[in-house]
Amino acid sequence: MADLTVHLLSIRIVVSCLGIFGNVFLIVGIIQTKLTRLKSFELLLLELAAANLEEIFIVNIYDMVILQTSFLSRDVWSCRVFKFLTVFGEVTSILFTVLISIFRYQKVRDAGKRVNLPIYLDSIRSLWMVSGACIAFALLLSVPIFAIHLADDFISNGTSCPPDFFQCNKNNCPLFRGLYKYLFILWCNLLPLIIVTVTGCLIIAVLLRQRRTLTPGVSVPGQFRAKSKSLRFQRSTVAVLTAMALFQVDWTLYLIFHLTVSPEDFPLWGEIEFFISTSYTSISPYVYGIGNNLFTFKNFMKK
């Protein structure tokens, strides 16, 4: 068991480093290439990368410092604060992913009919408002962490914070905790998963319909530039669809794990939850960065 724990810790460090480097590179790539002409999509990627970084850092602090340090693990407020920050980062990452999926569907849908007419989220001001609403919603769903009673958890766990704040005695689980758990899963996991899945299917349907209706046209001035721009948009859309597929797999496994496995019956519950919850935040920045031509050697050599 000790050897397995050491191996899992090594894998955790590798995954965390990959996630940190990927999100930092994504932020740097956007700043170096897009800062003077930042558009809504790049701003969404910046927000997503920032949320991913916050989640990865706080999850590691909570799991590897708070849970493993006997002094801090007895401090109820240390548990609450770091778990609050973990949940906040996780929810904001999910909500920004939902925004990206909706934004890309709106851009793809009826693109030929709209020509270059802007959509609502093309306005930076509108996007800031929607992003602010997402952050406020994430805060609202994270604040109840401070109201969860931990006394029983500390008695049952000895001297450690609970790996799962939703964990409670099956025969005597407080109504508030059970209600919060299932509302959280509904609003922060299941509903976003449904939205991302539906928008992904709609994007694929639109792309297939557009492909069937394409007809060879006569060469006109500026056609090469328009074709190049279209290819970049298609590559970016493929990257978004790939990240959405990763999101679907990740959070489907997360839901199954949370609803079928109990921390009391599975000693490695915290480690498995970490790998499931951080796989998307660690891998998706590479998908977005490569798909949007932000991870190039030339970008990182700019001064």
Side-chain angles (χ1 to χ4, degrees), residues 54-67 72-73 75-90 142 145-146 161-162 165:
E54 191 268 353
E55 181 185 354
I56 293 171
F57 274 119
I58 297 300
V59 164
N60 279 289
I61 292 174
Y62 180 79
D63 287 353
M64 299 177 67
V65 179
I66 299 297
L67 295 185
L72 288 176
S73 65
D75 185 358
V76 176
W77 283 102
S78 294
C79 290
R80 293 186 188 279
V81 169
F82 279 99
K83 191 60 180 180
F84 165 80
L85 293 173
T86 300
V87 172
F88 174 72
E90 178 182 295
S142 305
I145 289 290
F146 293 101
C161 300
F165 264 52

Side-chain angles (χ1 to χ4, degrees), residues 267-288:
L268 297 176
W269 194 93
E271 296 296 331
I272 301 302
E273 185 198 31
F274 167 81
F275 290 123
I276 295 176
S277 61
T278 59
S279 59
Y280 171 74
T281 57
S282 298
I283 299 174
S284 61
Y286 295 97
V287 176
Y288 287 120

Side-chain angles (χ1 to χ4, degrees), residues 185 189-190 193 250-260:
I185 289 175
N189 300 135
L190 183 59
L193 182 61
D250 185 65
W251 290 105
T252 299
L253 291 175
Y254 184 88
L255 280 174
I256 294 172
F257 183 72
H258 258 271
L259 295 175
T260 59

Side-chain angles (χ1 to χ4, degrees), residues 6-174:
V6 172
H7 290 316
L8 289 175
L9 178 60
S10 302
I11 298 173
R12 170 194 280 266
I13 293 173
V14 172
V15 171
S16 300
C17 290
L18 284 174
I20 291 170
F21 292 148
N23 285 288
V24 169
F25 289 160
L26 181 60
I27 292 173
V28 171
I30 293 173
I31 290 176
Q32 289 189 338
T33 61
K34 304 286 186 176
L35 188 60
T36 57
R37 46 192 175 90
L38 192 67
K39 296 182 179 179
S40 296
F41 183 69
E42 285 82 27
L43 180 58
L44 280 172
L45 291 183
L46 279 176
E47 293 171 338
L48 177 65
N52 290 345
L53 278 175
E54 191 268 353
E55 181 185 354
I56 293 171
F57 274 119
I58 297 300
V59 164
N60 279 289
I61 292 174
Y62 180 79
D63 287 353
M64 299 177 67
V65 179
I66 299 297
L67 295 185
Q68 303 300 326
T69 305
S70 60
F71 174 75
L72 288 176
S73 65
R74 293 189 182 97
D75 185 358
V76 176
W77 283 102
S78 294
C79 290
R80 293 186 188 279
V81 169
F82 279 99
K83 191 60 180 180
F84 165 80
L85 293 173
T86 300
V87 172
F88 174 72
E90 178 182 295
V91 175
T92 49
S93 176
I94 291 172
L95 293 178
F96 287 140
T97 301
V98 171
L99 275 183
I100 289 173
S101 66
I102 294 174
F103 175 79
R104 183 44 54 105
Y105 169 64
Q106 290 180 331
K107 295 294 287 185
V108 170
R109 182 192 60 190
D110 299 331
K113 296 179 181 179
R114 291 188 302 103
V115 192
N116 288 321
L117 294 178
I119 61 174
Y120 177 74
L121 290 178
D122 275 330
S123 167
I124 297 295
R125 182 178 179 180
S126 299
L127 184 58
W128 276 119
M129 292 174 59
V130 175
S131 299
C134 289
I135 293 173
F137 185 63
L139 284 171
L140 181 64
L141 289 172
S142 305
V143 164
I145 289 290
F146 293 101
I148 292 179
H149 183 61
L150 294 180
D152 296 336
D153 298 317
F154 273 69
I155 293 173
S156 62
N157 273 343
T159 59
S160 65
C161 300
D164 179 20
F165 264 52
F166 295 137
Q167 178 185 357
C168 60
N169 193 307
K170 296 178 181 178
N171 300 321
N172 184 27
C173 190

